Amino acid sequence: MKALTANRLTDGEVVFWKSGQWVTRFADAELWADDDPAAGEAEGQGKTQPTTVVDAYLIDLVESEGLWAPLSYRERIRALGPTNHLHHGKQAEGGAVIEALQHAHGAARSTGRVNLIKRK
């Protein structure tokens, strides 16, 4: 599975794609199968919004506690908010999705990010 993420330009907030717009919670993100061409279309649409977001890319997901979570540790941190205290950021909301994000395993790089930094 994959999700589309970026950073909002107005405040730097991590955002996720859902039905043609950016949302702030990973729990609300639209998810696609790995081979779904709609994921690439959404990524293209997200990248055409340079005055709204920066660095839009697809991230890999892994199933955790019956829910989906980013595979890479970096992306889980981005989805949860700052790591300095559990009562800061999105992790302070609590709930099943936050629990799944906190307990997910895997540290592989997101293929979307790897493709961004490869020299062509």
Side-chain angles (χ1 to χ4, degrees):
M1 296 294 283
K2 297 204 179 281
L4 181 62
T5 188
N7 286 85
R8 191 168 48 208
L9 283 175
T10 56
D11 58 4
E13 182 73 30
V14 175
V15 291
F16 301 92
W17 187 261
K18 180 180 181 177
S19 303
Q21 62 183 357
W22 296 103
V23 295
T24 58
R25 293 172 22 128
F26 176 77
D28 297 331
E30 188 171 346
L31 308 180
W32 297 278
D34 290 335
D35 59 350
D36 190 343
E41 293 170 14
E43 183 179 25
Q45 189 176 358
K47 287 181 177 183
T48 63
Q49 300 179 356
T51 59
T52 306
V53 296
V54 64
D55 199 21
Y57 58 93
L58 291 168
I59 58 173
D60 296 317
L61 305 177
V62 63
E63 192 170 354
S64 172
E65 299 182 13
L67 298 170
W68 291 98
L71 175 64
S72 77
Y73 186 66
R74 175 187 188 272
E75 297 304 332
R76 289 195 302 269
I77 290 173
R78 290 181 74 243
L80 287 169
T83 58
N84 61 339
H85 198 281
L86 295 176
H87 299 296
H88 294 165
K90 298 171 187 172
Q91 61 196 338
E93 297 173 8
V97 173
I98 299 299
E99 290 290 321
L101 286 168
Q102 290 173 333
H103 296 109
H105 297 291
R109 288 182 176 249
S110 169
T111 55
R113 290 293 292 173
V114 172
N115 290 338
L116 282 174
I117 60 175
K118 283 184 181 174
R119 295 193 185 267
K120 298 191 181 207

